[in-house]
Structures are given as C-alpha cells and as structure tokens.
Amino acid sequence: MVDILRNAVSGLMAFRTAMATTSHNVANVNTPYYSRQRVELGTPSPEQQSYGYLGRGVDIQGITRAYDEFLMKQLRGHSSGVSQYDTLNNLTGQMSALLGDTEVGLTPDLEAFFGALQDLANSPASIPARQVFLDEARTLTTRVQDIDSALTGLRDSVNTGIRNTVTTINDLTAGIAKINQDIAQATKSPTNPPNDLLDNRDRLLMDLSKLVGIQVVAQDNGGINVFMGSGQPLVVGNNVYRLEVAQSGFDPQEMTVRMEGQAKGSDLERYITGGELGGYFEFRRTILNPAQDGLGLLAMGLAETFNAQHAKGMNLDGETGVALFATRSPKVWANSANQSTATFNATLIDSTALVRSDYEIRYDGANYSAVRLSDQKTLLAGGDLAALNTELNKDGLSLTLSGSPTAGDRFLIQPTRQGSAGFELLVSDPRKVAAAAPITTSAATSNLGTGGISSGTVVDSNNANLLNSFTIEFTAVDQFTVTDTITNDSFTQAYDSVNGTTVSYNGWEITLSGNPQVGDTFEVKNNIGGIGDNRNALELVKLEIKPQLMGGNDYRGVYAQMIAEVGAQGRRVESTLRSQEALFAQSEFSRESVSGVSLDEEAANLVRFQQAYEASAQMIQTANSLFTTLLNAVRS
C-alpha cells in the first residue's frame, strides 16, 4: 500500500506540474519569442526486492524549453538585415521623390533657364528678355539651394536616427547584462535553467539585432557575451560597454559612433553593419553623400563654366561680362585628433576635371599621401606638397598650406559637398548681362583681294588690351602686320593662303582666309554700341548641351546621372529588402515549428495529463481504501 501511495503521489505531482506547464504555454501563445516548455519525466531508481526490482513511481527531471540556438542565430541575422534595408528603403524613397519630382526637381528649372537664355539670344537688346533670363537664373539658384536644404534635412534625420538608435542600444545592452546576472544567480544546474529569463533575454537580443548586427557567444554560467559585427563588445557577462554619439573626426555635421570614453578619432562607423544603425551609415555613405556631392558639382561646374563664357562677352554698358553665379569653395577639414593646428585651403582650378569624391590626406612627418575615397584609389603614396598638388590638379583642385603639420595628421577634402548651398546669382541689373561679343571685325571696303576675316572670339577676357583697336595690313601676299592703334605695338606674321591663318593677340583670336592682296587691311575693334550683337549669348546657349562635366556630361546629364544612381540604389535596396523579408519569414517559421506553441497540441496534452492526474488520484483513493480496511481489521 505504501508503494501504491508513493507511486500515486509522485504521479499526481508530476502530472499537476505538467498541466501547470501546459497552461503556461497556452497563456504565452502570443508572447513574442516565447519558447514552448515541457516537463521532462523519468523513473527513479527501483527498489530491489527478493522477487526483483520494484518501481518507485515517476520523477520530474526538469522543465525544458523547445529551443534551437542555430535557428535563433539565423533569425537574429535576418532580422538585422530586414531592419537595415527597411531603413535604407525609407530614406532612399524620400530622396528619389525629392530629386525626381517634376515639381521640386531641378530638370524643369534648367530647361526654363536655358529657354530664357535662348529668348535673350533672339532679342539681345530687349530689357524684358534680359530680366526674364535673370529671373529664371534666380529661380534656378533658389531651387538648387532648396534641394540642398532638403538633402541636409535628410542628413539631420540620419543624425537624429543615429542618436536615438544608440540610446536604445545602450538600454537593451543594460537589460541583457541584468538578465545575465539574474540567470547566473538563478541557475542551479544545467538541467534546470530559468526558461522564462532565457526567453526574455532572447527577446532583448532580437530587439538589439534590429538596431545593429550582433554576434552572441554563450558562457558556461548561462550568461552570454554580445559583440557588434567586427568584434566590438557590447555585453561581456554582467558588464555593459556603452556606445556614444560624437561628431565625426572630420565633418562636424556628421554624427558617428564610438565606445563611451574612447579618444577622438576612434570612430566605429566602418565596423558597424546591419540593423537600423548600419542602414543609417550605409545610406549616408553610399547614397546621400554622392547625391549631395553631385548637386554641388553641378552648381560649381555651371557657375565656373558659365562665368568663364559670360566674361568673354560685353554688356549694354560696354563692359566685359562679370561673374553671374557664385558658389562656395572646396572645404578641407582637419581631423579632430590632429596634434598640430595646420590647415589647408582648397581652390577649384578646373570644374570640368572635378570628380565626385572626397579625398583623405595623411602626413607621416615627412611626406603626404592621398586617397580618393570614391574608388579608394591611391593618388599619392608619398611626396611633398608640390607632388600632392600635381596629383590633385588632375582632379581640378589645388591646396595651400597654413602652419606646419605633424606626423599622424589627417585631412579630408570635400571638393563639392557645400557647392550647392552657396550657389547664388550675383547680377540683378539686366543691362549687365553680357550677350554681345566685346570685339568686332571688318574688312576695308577698298580691299582688292578676296581675303576674309572671321568674327573673332575672346580667349582671355582679363587681358588689359582686349578692347583696343587693331589693324591688320598685308605687306605681301604671304605676310601681314598686326598693329595696336592705341599702343602702336605691332608684329608681323606669315600667311597661308591655302589653309588660312589664325591670329591670337591681346586676348582675342581671329582667322584670316582667302587671297588678300598687298595693301588690303582688316580691323579688330571694340564692340561698344553693338547692342544687337548676340554672339556671346549664343555661346552661352551652347553650354546647355556641352559635355564638359564629370566624365563627359552636360549640366542636365549630371543631374540625370544623380537621379539614375539614386533610382538604381533604390531598386537594389528594395530587392534586397524583399529577399531579407522572405528569409526572415522562413527563419521565423522554422523557429515557430520548433519553439512555437500549438494550441491543438497543448489541448491534447492537457487532456492526456488530466487523465493521468485523475488516474493517480484514483490510485491514492484506492490505497486509502485499502489502508482503511487494514486498520479496521487490526482494530478488530
């Protein structure tokens, strides 16, 4: 009877625990990342009797959770990928809408600008046509500034997202470290882990993986160590390694991340992958920065090339053209960890050679090195400042140094990043638009030969003698003399009657052709009064389709390439996001198949455990009846 009672009681306790565990599973059927629990039952060691071994009921060996670490690792990885590309997709979508929208994009304004310029070329003396042209120019500069402001707003959003993400990461890692401590205290043996604490930790790890890519390493005491993608620690046992947001070592407008308490320049951005944080950094690095650099290159290229041609013209007041547009100069940032106060100033020397890229300059105490960051090409492995400028000149830049750098100093050149923010119209008076050419040419009516002279072009608008008058007299059929009638300076040049001859002097260039006779004369003079002249306006119109920027693009081509690149990136990101979502859904299904709670299964288990519980209770009742009968017999 004692054996019956003991066995029945053990069964009663075991199946009561099983029913309690089942009810716990049912109650948490919708709890995120809850792992189904089950009671592990076993038989205790039997008692040896003369007739053999007698069983002693059932033991509860532990309560385990249905869990697969490999599946959870997969799930965390895909969760990190989904979060990263979802962040990228949202930000890239905003940029695509901004650049490609016909209402806020730049293409319509470029078309209106050059349309107004063509109208001016058709009516060079018209003040209203000149005013419309300036109005469209002002609209163009305003639109460029507006787009730049919107891109800067996206940059601010990225910085805010980085700050918020880092705050949440620190909160989660603190929570994981606390659970590590609780698990270490609660774990009595490897077979009796605190399952709900482990599930809570998994939930925190999933939340953390959405913010940054992580690696998880288990410890012997049940705790875990958590590292970022390239091995930077976040949690080691009960210790938390907090992140902090700091200004970039170069550009103070960019926020980066480092370990709390680390020195300036110890940025972790290049090591961070996955999650929202990785998405923010990838968007800024691969999409936002190239777009803003491209917009700045367009503004700087348009300003320099347009100003150069405009300076070759003459306005209605008889003056050579002044600069129509202004932009900001290239920016050079000294790294915040530099030991010296040396600074560089960068100058744009040729916008047509500009590359849409930043450059990193390093100084080792004796020589400079330079890397173009867009393609990671080493422009200079080692050399002095002159050698450095020789290489940078090829990309349209020149540097001047102030102060003395020390070994280890680093500098970042941003040639075009701020160009669009400073794009402004400098001319407000319509009379100052230089639509005419500053020189005019003519042949003397008394000439006897068939010689001709071209209308002439300006090659150097800064030449002090450009507007002087000049005579060209043929002293022989194969020779002529050019004389400045103001200074009386002259020179003689040979003439090729077959191919013609080009003459360049004092900033202008003309071509003589045909068969002039000895004594024939030609004149190059100031075009003051030529208010109906549209030669320079026509040259300005030609700039619209001239392939002169960024590897052979015209102005609209530069902007179109920006839009195309952002669109291509958007398609890539969207496609990758769909793939990551599919992988995440598959991993989640695999995890649910192992760890998830099935209400049908739990209902069946509940019936089975209830029946076993009732049977054990019936056994206790039977043992009690037998014991009562025995006591009554003894009393009798």
Side-chain angles (χ1 to χ4, degrees):
M1 288 183 293
V2 173
D3 296 332
I4 296 174
L5 182 62
R6 180 181 60 194
N7 290 345
V9 169
S10 68
L12 194 73
M13 299 298 294
F15 295 116
R16 184 188 70 177
T17 302
M19 286 190 291
T21 302
T22 300
S23 68
H24 187 55
N25 288 339
V26 172
N28 286 280
V29 65
N30 293 316
T31 301
Y33 305 109
Y34 172 81
S35 299
R36 186 180 72 256
Q37 298 179 14
R38 63 187 178 189
V39 177
E40 301 293 342
L41 303 177
T43 57
S45 299
E47 290 182 352
Q48 186 176 7
Q49 304 292 336
S50 58
Y51 49 79
Y53 287 92
L54 180 63
R56 297 192 297 119
V58 64
D59 275 347
I60 300 175
Q61 295 182 340
I63 300 177
T64 61
R65 60 178 185 148
Y67 181 78
D68 189 315
E69 175 58 35
F70 175 74
L71 292 179
M72 282 303 300
K73 180 179 179 181
Q74 270 193 332
L75 192 61
R76 287 194 296 266
H78 296 318
S79 171
S80 184
V82 168
S83 185
Q84 175 184 359
Y85 284 97
D86 186 51
T87 300
L88 270 171
N89 191 49
N90 289 335
L91 292 170
T92 305
Q94 294 179 49
M95 178 172 286
S96 295
L98 168 68
L99 297 180
D101 193 306
T102 56
E103 297 297 326
V104 297
L106 192 59
T107 301
D109 295 289
L110 279 169
E111 293 175 351
F113 172 71
F114 280 102
L117 181 58
Q118 182 63 63
D119 291 340
L120 170 61
N122 294 338
S123 304
S126 170
I127 296 298
R130 289 167 171 265
Q131 187 61 60
V132 169
F133 166 69
L134 290 180
D135 290 343
E136 292 297 343
R138 185 172 295 102
T139 299
L140 176 64
T141 59
T142 301
R143 184 56 53 87
V144 169
Q145 292 174 13
D146 288 344
I147 295 175
D148 180 83
S149 296
L151 295 179
T152 300
L154 275 176
R155 189 177 300 278
D156 293 339
S157 296
V158 168
N159 288 338
T160 300
I162 291 172
R163 290 190 186 94
N164 294 339
T165 302
V166 167
T167 298
T168 307
I169 287 173
N170 288 335
D171 291 341
L172 290 172
T173 53
I176 292 170
K178 178 62 170 60
I179 292 181
N180 269 350
Q181 183 178 5
D182 294 342
I183 289 174
Q185 293 173 351
T187 301
K188 302 302 182 184
S189 70
T191 58
N192 293 295
N195 296 318
D196 292 324
L197 282 177
L198 295 174
D199 284 343
N200 286 338
R201 189 174 66 186
D202 281 340
R203 177 179 56 79
L204 293 180
L205 287 172
M206 283 298 301
D207 290 342
L208 183 60
S209 70
K210 295 175 183 177
L211 303 179
V212 66
I214 58 173
Q215 299 173 3
V216 178
V217 179
Q219 292 183 305
D220 293 337
N221 65 350
I224 57 170
N225 298 334
V226 183
F227 303 91
M228 282 195 297
S230 299
Q232 292 74 30
L234 294 175
V235 179
V236 177
N238 303 337
N239 299 315
V240 179
Y241 294 85
R242 294 174 58 86
L243 301 177
E244 66 177 6
V245 177
Q247 290 180 342
S248 167
F250 289 113
D251 188 348
Q253 294 178 325
E254 290 191 352
M255 294 295 107
T256 188
V257 173
R258 64 188 180 208
M259 303 304 296
E260 193 174 70
Q262 280 193 329
K264 292 181 178 179
S266 305
D267 302 345
L268 299 177
E269 178 177 340
R270 62 188 180 277
Y271 302 117
I272 294 174
T273 58
E276 288 184 21
L277 198 56
Y280 285 127
F281 286 137
E282 184 176 348
F283 171 75
R284 186 170 69 190
R285 182 178 62 255
T286 64
I287 302 175
L288 177 58
N289 285 350
Q292 200 160 20
D293 287 344
L295 185 66
L297 188 149
L298 171 59
M300 295 172 74
L302 191 151
E304 189 198 35
T305 56
F306 211 88
N307 287 348
Q309 184 60 51
H310 190 257
K312 296 177 181 179
M314 176 176 285
N315 62 34
L316 292 182
D317 295 327
E319 304 163 339
T320 53
V322 297
L324 273 177
F325 299 106
T327 62
R328 293 179 185 172
S329 299
K331 180 68 177 179
V332 183
W333 300 99
N335 191 277
S336 59
N338 286 0
Q339 298 300 309
S340 75
T341 59
T343 59
F344 277 108
N345 289 320
T347 304
L348 175 64
I349 59 174
D350 183 5
S351 64
T352 64
L354 278 176
V355 177
R356 190 181 52 177
S357 177
D358 294 346
Y359 301 77
E360 184 171 349
I361 310 299
R362 293 175 178 264
Y363 183 68
D364 63 6
N367 292 297
Y368 295 96
S369 61
V371 175
R372 188 168 58 206
L373 299 182
S374 61
D375 55 6
Q376 294 298 311
K377 180 180 179 180
T378 299
L379 302 182
L380 181 68
D384 58 13
L385 183 58
L388 176 62
N389 269 323
T390 297
E391 297 303 320
L392 291 177
N393 289 169
K394 298 175 184 177
D395 286 0
L397 301 170
S398 179
L399 293 180
T400 55
L401 175 65
S402 298
S404 300
T406 58
D409 281 0
R410 299 162 57 202
F411 303 87
L412 180 72
I413 307 175
Q414 291 181 340
T416 63
R417 181 72 52 82
Q418 301 184 43
S420 50
F423 190 44
E424 297 177 345
L425 180 66
L426 299 178
V427 174
S428 58
D429 185 352
R431 295 185 60 83
K432 299 301 182 182
V433 177
I439 62 170
T440 183
T441 62
S442 62
T445 58
S446 59
N447 287 355
L448 299 177
T450 59
I453 185 172
S454 66
S455 60
T457 58
V458 174
V459 294
D460 181 9
S461 60
N462 294 318
N463 192 293
N465 296 324
L466 173 66
L467 299 182
N468 289 1
S469 294
F470 302 86
T471 59
I472 301 173
E473 182 179 1
F474 276 80
T475 56
V477 294
D478 59 354
Q479 181 176 291
F480 57 86
T481 299
V482 179
T483 304
D484 185 331
T485 61
I486 304 298
T487 65
N488 289 323
D489 294 332
S490 64
F491 67 92
T492 299
Q493 185 172 335
Y495 176 69
D496 182 353
S497 60
V498 176
N499 300 310
T501 299
T502 298
V503 183
S504 296
Y505 189 54
N506 283 355
W508 50 258
E509 184 175 275
I510 58 94
T511 299
L512 297 172
S513 60
N515 294 292
Q517 298 295 313
V518 176
D520 285 357
T521 61
F522 302 88
E523 187 177 26
V524 179
K525 65 179 181 178
N526 191 316
N527 193 27
I528 292 177
I531 59 175
D533 189 333
N534 67 349
R535 283 179 291 161
N536 198 52
L538 291 174
E539 293 299 317
L540 290 170
V541 169
K542 292 178 183 178
L543 295 178
E544 179 182 12
I545 57 174
K546 186 175 182 179
Q548 56 185 335
L549 299 179
M550 208 169 72
N553 283 285
D554 57 26
Y555 303 133
R556 276 182 289 192
V558 173
Y559 191 72
Q561 184 170 332
M562 288 169 51
I563 296 175
E565 289 179 355
V566 173
Q569 289 279 24
R571 290 188 293 274
R572 174 188 69 85
V573 169
E574 189 174 358
S575 175
T576 306
L577 175 59
R578 287 196 298 267
S579 299
Q580 289 293 328
E581 287 174 336
L583 291 171
F584 178 77
Q586 183 179 357
S587 296
E588 197 166 39
F589 177 80
S590 298
R591 184 215 170 259
E592 283 297 311
S593 66
V594 172
S595 303
V597 176
S598 169
L599 291 178
D600 292 338
E601 180 183 351
E602 298 304 323
N605 286 340
L606 189 60
V607 171
R608 183 162 56 91
F609 296 147
Q610 181 183 3
Q611 291 174 342
Y613 183 85
E614 290 174 349
S616 296
Q618 185 64 42
M619 290 173 59
I620 293 175
Q621 185 177 0
T622 299
N624 182 60
S625 177
L626 291 173
F627 193 68
T628 300
T629 301
L630 179 60
L631 287 177
N632 289 337
V634 171
R635 291 193 184 100
S636 301

